Amino acid sequence: MNSPARQIFSYFDASNQRDFEAIEAMLYDEIEYNSDNAGSHRGKETVLEMMHGFFAQFSEITWTIDALLNDTEQSAEVAFTCRATRVDGSTLLRRGYESVELCDGKISRIVVRSQS
């Protein structure tokens, strides 16, 4: 079974590679996804659909984990930086916090908050 910290690092790696098969394998069927920027989504299919639409907006996107803030038996939280280039050529720099919770070794909840 993966620890929450290991899962969040693997999830970021898969996201940076746009590896949707790896991401799908990490997600619990009834996942809840809540983001300041992407809204709330429930269920693996719905979350993956949102992710595909999100990634389609960017020609390049990279997340860097800046710090592991919390690591318990069931959850982990990181501070991150996102650098991206949109398909129109404009750039994005965003910092925030992302937490994951696990159920049966899979990511059952993701919460993404923008840094104030």
Side-chain angles (χ1 to χ4, degrees):
M1 182 181 288
N2 284 330
S3 73
R6 187 172 293 132
Q7 278 287 69
I8 200 167
F9 278 84
S10 295
Y11 172 74
F12 271 67
D13 287 342
S15 295
N16 283 334
Q17 297 170 29
R18 296 183 187 221
D19 185 346
F20 291 106
E21 287 183 19
I23 293 169
E24 182 176 4
M26 292 179 208
L27 301 181
Y28 190 69
D29 287 341
E30 296 302 318
I31 184 171
E32 294 180 22
Y33 185 100
N34 297 292
S35 168
D36 288 349
N37 298 299
S40 296
H41 306 274
R42 185 176 177 96
K44 186 189 291 189
E45 187 175 309
T46 302
V47 169
L48 287 169
E49 183 178 311
M50 176 275 300
M51 288 180 175
H52 280 281
F54 176 82
F55 278 94
Q57 301 172 60
F58 301 96
S59 57
E60 294 180 28
I61 189 163
T62 304
W63 287 270
T64 304
I65 294 176
D66 302 320
L68 178 62
L69 304 174
N70 185 24
D71 184 21
T72 69
E73 287 186 27
Q74 296 299 319
S75 65
E77 181 177 18
V78 297
F80 70 87
T81 301
C82 176
R83 291 176 176 83
T85 303
R86 293 181 182 92
V87 292
D88 68 5
S90 62
T91 59
L92 170 75
L93 175 64
R94 181 177 294 150
R95 289 184 171 83
Y97 305 97
E98 186 155 340
S99 63
V100 299
E101 294 177 16
L102 299 188
C103 182
D104 297 330
K106 296 201 174 207
I107 298 172
S108 60
R109 187 166 192 246
I110 298 173
V111 177
V112 184
R113 296 173 296 140
S114 297
Q115 187 174 2
S116 305

